[in-house]
PDB file of all heavy atoms in Angstrom:
ATOM      1  N   ALA A 214     -10.573   1.425   0.680  1.00  0.00           N
ATOM      2  CA  ALA A 214     -10.514   1.833   2.108  1.00  0.00           C
ATOM      3  C   ALA A 214     -11.422   3.035   2.420  1.00  0.00           C
ATOM      4  O   ALA A 214     -11.326   3.992   1.559  1.00  0.00           O
ATOM      5  CB  ALA A 214      -9.128   2.084   2.587  1.00  0.00           C
ATOM      6  N   ARG A 215     -12.286   2.911   3.336  1.00  0.00           N
ATOM      7  CA  ARG A 215     -13.138   4.022   3.712  1.00  0.00           C
ATOM      8  C   ARG A 215     -13.212   4.090   5.342  1.00  0.00           C
ATOM      9  O   ARG A 215     -13.426   3.070   5.947  1.00  0.00           O
ATOM     10  CB  ARG A 215     -14.614   3.708   3.356  1.00  0.00           C
ATOM     11  CG  ARG A 215     -14.759   3.788   1.692  1.00  0.00           C
ATOM     12  CD  ARG A 215     -14.554   5.090   1.189  1.00  0.00           C
ATOM     13  NE  ARG A 215     -14.608   5.133  -0.293  1.00  0.00           N
ATOM     14  CZ  ARG A 215     -13.617   5.102  -1.169  1.00  0.00           C
ATOM     15  NH1 ARG A 215     -12.292   5.013  -0.601  1.00  0.00           N
ATOM     16  NH2 ARG A 215     -13.712   5.162  -2.359  1.00  0.00           N
ATOM     17  N   LEU A 216     -13.018   5.320   5.729  1.00  0.00           N
ATOM     18  CA  LEU A 216     -13.011   5.589   7.220  1.00  0.00           C
ATOM     19  C   LEU A 216     -14.404   5.159   7.745  1.00  0.00           C
ATOM     20  O   LEU A 216     -15.375   5.496   7.265  1.00  0.00           O
ATOM     21  CB  LEU A 216     -12.784   7.099   7.538  1.00  0.00           C
ATOM     22  CG  LEU A 216     -11.295   7.529   7.246  1.00  0.00           C
ATOM     23  CD1 LEU A 216     -11.277   9.113   7.389  1.00  0.00           C
ATOM     24  CD2 LEU A 216     -10.336   6.898   8.255  1.00  0.00           C
ATOM     25  N   VAL A 217     -14.259   4.467   8.899  1.00  0.00           N
ATOM     26  CA  VAL A 217     -15.417   4.223   9.879  1.00  0.00           C
ATOM     27  C   VAL A 217     -15.529   5.269  10.902  1.00  0.00           C
ATOM     28  O   VAL A 217     -16.501   5.831  11.168  1.00  0.00           O
ATOM     29  CB  VAL A 217     -15.364   2.798  10.346  1.00  0.00           C
ATOM     30  CG1 VAL A 217     -16.419   2.466  11.385  1.00  0.00           C
ATOM     31  CG2 VAL A 217     -15.238   1.721   9.283  1.00  0.00           C
ATOM     32  N   LYS A 218     -14.277   5.470  11.523  1.00  0.00           N
ATOM     33  CA  LYS A 218     -14.137   6.556  12.443  1.00  0.00           C
ATOM     34  C   LYS A 218     -12.776   7.191  12.292  1.00  0.00           C
ATOM     35  O   LYS A 218     -11.799   6.540  12.370  1.00  0.00           O
ATOM     36  CB  LYS A 218     -14.324   6.014  13.924  1.00  0.00           C
ATOM     37  CG  LYS A 218     -14.287   7.066  15.014  1.00  0.00           C
ATOM     38  CD  LYS A 218     -14.508   6.439  16.375  1.00  0.00           C
ATOM     39  CE  LYS A 218     -14.411   7.603  17.440  1.00  0.00           C
ATOM     40  NZ  LYS A 218     -14.495   7.103  18.736  1.00  0.00           N
ATOM     41  N   TYR A 219     -12.865   8.488  12.115  1.00  0.00           N
ATOM     42  CA  TYR A 219     -11.565   9.163  11.842  1.00  0.00           C
ATOM     43  C   TYR A 219     -10.612   9.000  12.938  1.00  0.00           C
ATOM     44  O   TYR A 219     -10.993   9.097  14.128  1.00  0.00           O
ATOM     45  CB  TYR A 219     -11.904  10.667  11.560  1.00  0.00           C
ATOM     46  CG  TYR A 219     -10.709  11.445  11.167  1.00  0.00           C
ATOM     47  CD1 TYR A 219     -10.327  11.562   9.866  1.00  0.00           C
ATOM     48  CD2 TYR A 219      -9.883  12.081  12.146  1.00  0.00           C
ATOM     49  CE1 TYR A 219      -9.117  12.269   9.495  1.00  0.00           C
ATOM     50  CE2 TYR A 219      -8.728  12.783  11.765  1.00  0.00           C
ATOM     51  CZ  TYR A 219      -8.340  12.881  10.448  1.00  0.00           C
ATOM     52  OH  TYR A 219      -7.182  13.593  10.141  1.00  0.00           O
ATOM     53  N   GLY A 220      -9.451   8.824  12.570  1.00  0.00           N
ATOM     54  CA  GLY A 220      -8.320   8.602  13.580  1.00  0.00           C
ATOM     55  C   GLY A 220      -8.339   7.344  14.337  1.00  0.00           C
ATOM     56  O   GLY A 220      -7.610   7.138  15.290  1.00  0.00           O
ATOM     57  N   GLU A 221      -9.100   6.472  13.924  1.00  0.00           N
ATOM     58  CA  GLU A 221      -9.242   5.132  14.652  1.00  0.00           C
ATOM     59  C   GLU A 221      -9.496   3.903  13.731  1.00  0.00           C
ATOM     60  O   GLU A 221      -8.759   2.903  13.898  1.00  0.00           O
ATOM     61  CB  GLU A 221     -10.391   5.280  15.670  1.00  0.00           C
ATOM     62  CG  GLU A 221     -10.442   3.990  16.575  1.00  0.00           C
ATOM     63  CD  GLU A 221     -11.499   4.197  17.632  1.00  0.00           C
ATOM     64  OE1 GLU A 221     -11.574   5.161  18.387  1.00  0.00           O
ATOM     65  OE2 GLU A 221     -12.455   3.268  17.721  1.00  0.00           O
ATOM     66  N   THR A 222     -10.391   3.863  12.972  1.00  0.00           N
ATOM     67  CA  THR A 222     -10.857   2.704  12.167  1.00  0.00           C
ATOM     68  C   THR A 222     -11.108   2.971  10.739  1.00  0.00           C
ATOM     69  O   THR A 222     -11.848   3.934  10.315  1.00  0.00           O
ATOM     70  CB  THR A 222     -12.180   2.050  12.847  1.00  0.00           C
ATOM     71  OG1 THR A 222     -12.019   1.910  14.195  1.00  0.00           O
ATOM     72  CG2 THR A 222     -12.422   0.739  12.178  1.00  0.00           C
ATOM     73  N   VAL A 223     -10.644   2.134   9.896  1.00  0.00           N
ATOM     74  CA  VAL A 223     -10.923   2.194   8.390  1.00  0.00           C
ATOM     75  C   VAL A 223     -11.405   0.836   8.023  1.00  0.00           C
ATOM     76  O   VAL A 223     -11.023  -0.204   8.440  1.00  0.00           O
ATOM     77  CB  VAL A 223      -9.597   2.664   7.649  1.00  0.00           C
ATOM     78  CG1 VAL A 223      -8.583   1.560   7.684  1.00  0.00           C
ATOM     79  CG2 VAL A 223     -10.041   2.982   6.170  1.00  0.00           C
ATOM     80  N   ARG A 224     -12.394   0.869   7.125  1.00  0.00           N
ATOM     81  CA  ARG A 224     -12.860  -0.439   6.488  1.00  0.00           C
ATOM     82  C   ARG A 224     -12.126  -0.661   5.142  1.00  0.00           C
ATOM     83  O   ARG A 224     -12.080   0.134   4.299  1.00  0.00           O
ATOM     84  CB  ARG A 224     -14.441  -0.381   6.161  1.00  0.00           C
ATOM     85  CG  ARG A 224     -14.940  -1.686   5.492  1.00  0.00           C
ATOM     86  CD  ARG A 224     -16.480  -1.782   5.407  1.00  0.00           C
ATOM     87  NE  ARG A 224     -16.929  -1.894   6.890  1.00  0.00           N
ATOM     88  CZ  ARG A 224     -17.607  -0.909   7.512  1.00  0.00           C
ATOM     89  NH1 ARG A 224     -17.776   0.183   7.081  1.00  0.00           N
ATOM     90  NH2 ARG A 224     -18.033  -1.112   8.696  1.00  0.00           N
ATOM     91  N   ALA A 225     -11.313  -1.722   5.152  1.00  0.00           N
ATOM     92  CA  ALA A 225     -10.609  -2.078   3.935  1.00  0.00           C
ATOM     93  C   ALA A 225     -10.928  -3.368   3.340  1.00  0.00           C
ATOM     94  O   ALA A 225     -10.957  -4.430   4.021  1.00  0.00           O
ATOM     95  CB  ALA A 225      -9.112  -2.174   4.432  1.00  0.00           C
ATOM     96  N   VAL A 226     -11.447  -3.332   2.143  1.00  0.00           N
ATOM     97  CA  VAL A 226     -12.022  -4.571   1.409  1.00  0.00           C
ATOM     98  C   VAL A 226     -11.464  -4.686   0.108  1.00  0.00           C
ATOM     99  O   VAL A 226     -10.981  -3.662  -0.537  1.00  0.00           O
ATOM    100  CB  VAL A 226     -13.646  -4.490   1.438  1.00  0.00           C
ATOM    101  CG1 VAL A 226     -14.205  -4.574   2.800  1.00  0.00           C
ATOM    102  CG2 VAL A 226     -14.065  -3.352   0.619  1.00  0.00           C
ATOM    103  N   GLY A 227     -11.479  -5.913  -0.468  1.00  0.00           N
ATOM    104  CA  GLY A 227     -10.968  -6.150  -1.868  1.00  0.00           C
ATOM    105  C   GLY A 227      -9.432  -5.911  -1.967  1.00  0.00           C
ATOM    106  O   GLY A 227      -9.037  -5.331  -2.952  1.00  0.00           O
ATOM    107  N   TYR A 228      -8.755  -6.504  -1.090  1.00  0.00           N
ATOM    108  CA  TYR A 228      -7.274  -6.390  -1.207  1.00  0.00           C
ATOM    109  C   TYR A 228      -6.810  -7.072  -2.427  1.00  0.00           C
ATOM    110  O   TYR A 228      -7.306  -8.141  -2.945  1.00  0.00           O
ATOM    111  CB  TYR A 228      -6.600  -7.141  -0.058  1.00  0.00           C
ATOM    112  CG  TYR A 228      -6.433  -6.294   1.162  1.00  0.00           C
ATOM    113  CD1 TYR A 228      -7.493  -6.169   2.202  1.00  0.00           C
ATOM    114  CD2 TYR A 228      -5.341  -5.421   1.417  1.00  0.00           C
ATOM    115  CE1 TYR A 228      -7.367  -5.365   3.273  1.00  0.00           C
ATOM    116  CE2 TYR A 228      -5.260  -4.634   2.568  1.00  0.00           C
ATOM    117  CZ  TYR A 228      -6.297  -4.532   3.409  1.00  0.00           C
ATOM    118  OH  TYR A 228      -6.164  -3.750   4.591  1.00  0.00           O
ATOM    119  N   ARG A 229      -5.873  -6.564  -3.198  1.00  0.00           N
ATOM    120  CA  ARG A 229      -5.350  -6.984  -4.405  1.00  0.00           C
ATOM    121  C   ARG A 229      -4.472  -8.243  -4.208  1.00  0.00           C
ATOM    122  O   ARG A 229      -4.143  -8.456  -3.094  1.00  0.00           O
ATOM    123  CB  ARG A 229      -4.468  -5.934  -5.051  1.00  0.00           C
ATOM    124  CG  ARG A 229      -5.222  -4.690  -5.389  1.00  0.00           C
ATOM    125  CD  ARG A 229      -4.395  -3.640  -6.138  1.00  0.00           C
ATOM    126  NE  ARG A 229      -5.182  -2.460  -6.398  1.00  0.00           N
ATOM    127  CZ  ARG A 229      -6.091  -2.312  -7.376  1.00  0.00           C
ATOM    128  NH1 ARG A 229      -6.413  -3.353  -8.178  1.00  0.00           N
ATOM    129  NH2 ARG A 229      -6.772  -1.231  -7.536  1.00  0.00           N
ATOM    130  N   ASP A 230      -4.245  -8.968  -5.298  1.00  0.00           N
ATOM    131  CA  ASP A 230      -3.436 -10.142  -5.169  1.00  0.00           C
ATOM    132  C   ASP A 230      -1.985  -9.782  -5.131  1.00  0.00           C
ATOM    133  O   ASP A 230      -1.223 -10.510  -4.590  1.00  0.00           O
ATOM    134  CB  ASP A 230      -3.678 -11.112  -6.433  1.00  0.00           C
ATOM    135  CG  ASP A 230      -5.099 -11.630  -6.392  1.00  0.00           C
ATOM    136  OD1 ASP A 230      -5.648 -11.848  -5.319  1.00  0.00           O
ATOM    137  OD2 ASP A 230      -5.598 -11.977  -7.558  1.00  0.00           O
ATOM    138  N   CYS A 231      -1.671  -8.689  -5.767  1.00  0.00           N
ATOM    139  CA  CYS A 231      -0.294  -8.253  -5.705  1.00  0.00           C
ATOM    140  C   CYS A 231      -0.346  -6.710  -5.913  1.00  0.00           C
ATOM    141  O   CYS A 231      -1.177  -6.085  -6.386  1.00  0.00           O
ATOM    142  CB  CYS A 231       0.561  -8.867  -6.622  1.00  0.00           C
ATOM    143  SG  CYS A 231       0.380  -8.400  -8.385  1.00  0.00           S
ATOM    144  N   LEU A 232       0.790  -6.093  -5.558  1.00  0.00           N
ATOM    145  CA  LEU A 232       1.087  -4.689  -5.766  1.00  0.00           C
ATOM    146  C   LEU A 232       2.128  -4.532  -6.794  1.00  0.00           C
ATOM    147  O   LEU A 232       3.027  -5.350  -6.948  1.00  0.00           O
ATOM    148  CB  LEU A 232       1.476  -4.003  -4.383  1.00  0.00           C
ATOM    149  CG  LEU A 232       0.465  -3.890  -3.291  1.00  0.00           C
ATOM    150  CD1 LEU A 232       1.110  -3.515  -2.085  1.00  0.00           C
ATOM    151  CD2 LEU A 232      -0.753  -3.143  -3.615  1.00  0.00           C
ATOM    152  N   ARG A 233       2.166  -3.329  -7.438  1.00  0.00           N
ATOM    153  CA  ARG A 233       3.084  -3.031  -8.407  1.00  0.00           C
ATOM    154  C   ARG A 233       3.902  -1.646  -8.058  1.00  0.00           C
ATOM    155  O   ARG A 233       3.230  -0.743  -7.753  1.00  0.00           O
ATOM    156  CB  ARG A 233       2.536  -3.001  -9.902  1.00  0.00           C
ATOM    157  CG  ARG A 233       2.107  -4.293 -10.368  1.00  0.00           C
ATOM    158  CD  ARG A 233       1.458  -4.134 -11.719  1.00  0.00           C
ATOM    159  NE  ARG A 233       1.169  -5.399 -12.314  1.00  0.00           N
ATOM    160  CZ  ARG A 233       0.071  -6.150 -11.914  1.00  0.00           C
ATOM    161  NH1 ARG A 233      -0.888  -5.585 -11.108  1.00  0.00           N
ATOM    162  NH2 ARG A 233      -0.172  -7.381 -12.438  1.00  0.00           N
ATOM    163  N   VAL A 234       5.156  -1.776  -8.011  1.00  0.00           N
ATOM    164  CA  VAL A 234       5.972  -0.633  -7.534  1.00  0.00           C
ATOM    165  C   VAL A 234       6.988  -0.212  -8.471  1.00  0.00           C
ATOM    166  O   VAL A 234       7.593  -1.147  -9.137  1.00  0.00           O
ATOM    167  CB  VAL A 234       6.652  -1.013  -6.212  1.00  0.00           C
ATOM    168  CG1 VAL A 234       7.618   0.092  -5.640  1.00  0.00           C
ATOM    169  CG2 VAL A 234       5.659  -1.611  -5.120  1.00  0.00           C
ATOM    170  N   ALA A 235       7.164   1.047  -8.635  1.00  0.00           N
ATOM    171  CA  ALA A 235       8.308   1.583  -9.441  1.00  0.00           C
ATOM    172  C   ALA A 235       9.115   2.637  -8.578  1.00  0.00           C
ATOM    173  O   ALA A 235       8.490   3.212  -7.628  1.00  0.00           O
ATOM    174  CB  ALA A 235       7.900   2.194 -10.709  1.00  0.00           C
ATOM    175  N   SER A 236      10.263   2.942  -8.930  1.00  0.00           N
ATOM    176  CA  SER A 236      11.034   3.941  -8.167  1.00  0.00           C
ATOM    177  C   SER A 236      11.956   4.854  -9.006  1.00  0.00           C
ATOM    178  O   SER A 236      12.188   4.554 -10.139  1.00  0.00           O
ATOM    179  CB  SER A 236      11.907   3.228  -7.058  1.00  0.00           C
ATOM    180  OG  SER A 236      13.018   2.636  -7.726  1.00  0.00           O
ATOM    181  N   LEU A 237      12.285   5.987  -8.418  1.00  0.00           N
ATOM    182  CA  LEU A 237      13.258   6.874  -9.084  1.00  0.00           C
ATOM    183  C   LEU A 237      14.257   7.219  -7.972  1.00  0.00           C
ATOM    184  O   LEU A 237      13.986   7.663  -6.883  1.00  0.00           O
ATOM    185  CB  LEU A 237      12.540   8.223  -9.451  1.00  0.00           C
ATOM    186  CG  LEU A 237      11.449   8.167 -10.542  1.00  0.00           C
ATOM    187  CD1 LEU A 237      10.578   9.281 -10.509  1.00  0.00           C
ATOM    188  CD2 LEU A 237      12.219   7.960 -11.806  1.00  0.00           C
ATOM    189  N   PRO A 238      15.527   6.859  -8.307  1.00  0.00           N
ATOM    190  CA  PRO A 238      16.114   6.114  -9.376  1.00  0.00           C
ATOM    191  C   PRO A 238      15.589   4.689  -9.552  1.00  0.00           C
ATOM    192  O   PRO A 238      15.245   4.116  -8.528  1.00  0.00           O
ATOM    193  CB  PRO A 238      17.553   6.083  -9.212  1.00  0.00           C
ATOM    194  CG  PRO A 238      17.839   7.238  -8.208  1.00  0.00           C
ATOM    195  CD  PRO A 238      16.609   7.212  -7.390  1.00  0.00           C
ATOM    196  N   ALA A 239      15.450   4.217 -10.816  1.00  0.00           N
ATOM    197  CA  ALA A 239      14.761   2.883 -10.997  1.00  0.00           C
ATOM    198  C   ALA A 239      15.580   1.746 -10.361  1.00  0.00           C
ATOM    199  O   ALA A 239      14.855   0.653 -10.041  1.00  0.00           O
ATOM    200  CB  ALA A 239      14.668   2.653 -12.613  1.00  0.00           C
ATOM    201  N   LYS A 240      16.708   1.939 -10.150  1.00  0.00           N
ATOM    202  CA  LYS A 240      17.548   0.773  -9.556  1.00  0.00           C
ATOM    203  C   LYS A 240      17.132   0.420  -8.133  1.00  0.00           C
ATOM    204  O   LYS A 240      17.548  -0.668  -7.592  1.00  0.00           O
ATOM    205  CB  LYS A 240      19.059   1.081  -9.619  1.00  0.00           C
ATOM    206  CG  LYS A 240      19.462   2.219  -8.654  1.00  0.00           C
ATOM    207  CD  LYS A 240      20.987   2.453  -8.866  1.00  0.00           C
ATOM    208  CE  LYS A 240      21.451   3.636  -7.961  1.00  0.00           C
ATOM    209  NZ  LYS A 240      22.762   3.942  -8.149  1.00  0.00           N
ATOM    210  N   HIS A 241      16.329   1.226  -7.485  1.00  0.00           N
ATOM    211  CA  HIS A 241      15.897   0.967  -6.149  1.00  0.00           C
ATOM    212  C   HIS A 241      14.588   0.277  -5.954  1.00  0.00           C
ATOM    213  O   HIS A 241      13.920   0.175  -4.933  1.00  0.00           O
ATOM    214  CB  HIS A 241      15.909   2.164  -5.238  1.00  0.00           C
ATOM    215  CG  HIS A 241      17.343   2.763  -5.249  1.00  0.00           C
ATOM    216  ND1 HIS A 241      18.363   2.290  -4.440  1.00  0.00           N
ATOM    217  CD2 HIS A 241      17.824   3.978  -5.804  1.00  0.00           C
ATOM    218  CE1 HIS A 241      19.504   2.922  -4.553  1.00  0.00           C
ATOM    219  NE2 HIS A 241      19.158   3.975  -5.358  1.00  0.00           N
ATOM    220  N   ALA A 242      13.979  -0.100  -7.151  1.00  0.00           N
ATOM    221  CA  ALA A 242      12.534  -0.513  -7.145  1.00  0.00           C
ATOM    222  C   ALA A 242      12.435  -1.876  -6.295  1.00  0.00           C
ATOM    223  O   ALA A 242      11.446  -2.026  -5.601  1.00  0.00           O
ATOM    224  CB  ALA A 242      12.142  -0.750  -8.599  1.00  0.00           C
ATOM    225  N   GLU A 243      13.415  -2.678  -6.358  1.00  0.00           N
ATOM    226  CA  GLU A 243      13.282  -3.927  -5.594  1.00  0.00           C
ATOM    227  C   GLU A 243      13.222  -3.777  -4.172  1.00  0.00           C
ATOM    228  O   GLU A 243      12.563  -4.402  -3.376  1.00  0.00           O
ATOM    229  CB  GLU A 243      14.472  -4.807  -6.028  1.00  0.00           C
ATOM    230  CG  GLU A 243      14.269  -6.339  -5.489  1.00  0.00           C
ATOM    231  CD  GLU A 243      13.006  -7.018  -6.023  1.00  0.00           C
ATOM    232  OE1 GLU A 243      12.815  -6.999  -7.295  1.00  0.00           O
ATOM    233  OE2 GLU A 243      12.296  -7.557  -5.245  1.00  0.00           O
ATOM    234  N   LYS A 244      14.128  -2.776  -3.732  1.00  0.00           N
ATOM    235  CA  LYS A 244      14.142  -2.495  -2.269  1.00  0.00           C
ATOM    236  C   LYS A 244      12.779  -1.973  -1.743  1.00  0.00           C
ATOM    237  O   LYS A 244      12.230  -2.389  -0.752  1.00  0.00           O
ATOM    238  CB  LYS A 244      15.211  -1.452  -1.904  1.00  0.00           C
ATOM    239  CG  LYS A 244      15.279  -0.838  -0.637  1.00  0.00           C
ATOM    240  CD  LYS A 244      16.316   0.260  -0.461  1.00  0.00           C
ATOM    241  CE  LYS A 244      16.522   0.898   0.851  1.00  0.00           C
ATOM    242  NZ  LYS A 244      17.538   1.849   0.946  1.00  0.00           N
ATOM    243  N   CYS A 245      12.110  -1.093  -2.608  1.00  0.00           N
ATOM    244  CA  CYS A 245      10.903  -0.507  -2.222  1.00  0.00           C
ATOM    245  C   CYS A 245       9.794  -1.573  -2.232  1.00  0.00           C
ATOM    246  O   CYS A 245       8.941  -1.594  -1.497  1.00  0.00           O
ATOM    247  CB  CYS A 245      10.621   0.779  -3.201  1.00  0.00           C
ATOM    248  SG  CYS A 245      11.909   1.962  -2.962  1.00  0.00           S
ATOM    249  N   SER A 246       9.947  -2.418  -3.327  1.00  0.00           N
ATOM    250  CA  SER A 246       8.976  -3.467  -3.497  1.00  0.00           C
ATOM    251  C   SER A 246       9.014  -4.533  -2.266  1.00  0.00           C
ATOM    252  O   SER A 246       7.901  -4.818  -1.787  1.00  0.00           O
ATOM    253  CB  SER A 246       9.160  -4.266  -4.836  1.00  0.00           C
ATOM    254  OG  SER A 246       8.289  -5.284  -4.936  1.00  0.00           O
ATOM    255  N   SER A 247      10.114  -4.794  -1.860  1.00  0.00           N
ATOM    256  CA  SER A 247      10.257  -5.674  -0.621  1.00  0.00           C
ATOM    257  C   SER A 247       9.629  -5.129   0.509  1.00  0.00           C
ATOM    258  O   SER A 247       8.952  -5.839   1.351  1.00  0.00           O
ATOM    259  CB  SER A 247      11.672  -5.962  -0.422  1.00  0.00           C
ATOM    260  OG  SER A 247      12.268  -6.608  -1.435  1.00  0.00           O
ATOM    261  N   LEU A 248       9.778  -3.820   0.787  1.00  0.00           N
ATOM    262  CA  LEU A 248       9.188  -3.120   1.950  1.00  0.00           C
ATOM    263  C   LEU A 248       7.701  -3.271   1.876  1.00  0.00           C
ATOM    264  O   LEU A 248       7.042  -3.652   2.819  1.00  0.00           O
ATOM    265  CB  LEU A 248       9.637  -1.671   1.963  1.00  0.00           C
ATOM    266  CG  LEU A 248       9.004  -0.838   3.137  1.00  0.00           C
ATOM    267  CD1 LEU A 248       9.365  -1.346   4.453  1.00  0.00           C
ATOM    268  CD2 LEU A 248       9.374   0.654   2.985  1.00  0.00           C
ATOM    269  N   MET A 249       7.133  -2.950   0.693  1.00  0.00           N
ATOM    270  CA  MET A 249       5.687  -3.044   0.557  1.00  0.00           C
ATOM    271  C   MET A 249       5.162  -4.376   0.800  1.00  0.00           C
ATOM    272  O   MET A 249       4.089  -4.655   1.500  1.00  0.00           O
ATOM    273  CB  MET A 249       5.256  -2.431  -0.745  1.00  0.00           C
ATOM    274  CG  MET A 249       5.391  -0.943  -0.928  1.00  0.00           C
ATOM    275  SD  MET A 249       4.362   0.020   0.132  1.00  0.00           S
ATOM    276  CE  MET A 249       5.439   0.384   1.444  1.00  0.00           C
ATOM    277  N   SER A 250       5.888  -5.414   0.242  1.00  0.00           N
ATOM    278  CA  SER A 250       5.498  -6.743   0.468  1.00  0.00           C
ATOM    279  C   SER A 250       5.485  -7.209   1.853  1.00  0.00           C
ATOM    280  O   SER A 250       4.556  -7.892   2.273  1.00  0.00           O
ATOM    281  CB  SER A 250       6.400  -7.688  -0.367  1.00  0.00           C
ATOM    282  OG  SER A 250       6.122  -9.022  -0.329  1.00  0.00           O
TER     283      SER A 250
END
């Protein structure tokens, strides 16, 4: 991601196929992963 115009537009290219998430405490990783998804 690179800004095109600060406070308005960003160029985002090459989105990943998936994200990887971990949490502290570890038992909440699924909740956080679901939000990002």
Side-chain angles (χ1 to χ4, degrees):
R215 294 292 176 262
L216 287 172
V217 176
K218 183 176 180 184
Y219 185 86
E221 185 179 303
T222 307
V223 65
R224 181 169 290 109
V226 297
Y228 277 89
R229 299 183 182 283
D230 293 331
C231 74
L232 297 171
R233 291 178 174 83
V234 178
S236 71
L237 291 166
K240 65 183 179 181
H241 299 290
E243 191 59 49
K244 173 183 181 177
C245 301
S246 179
S247 295
L248 176 62
M249 292 294 96
S250 182

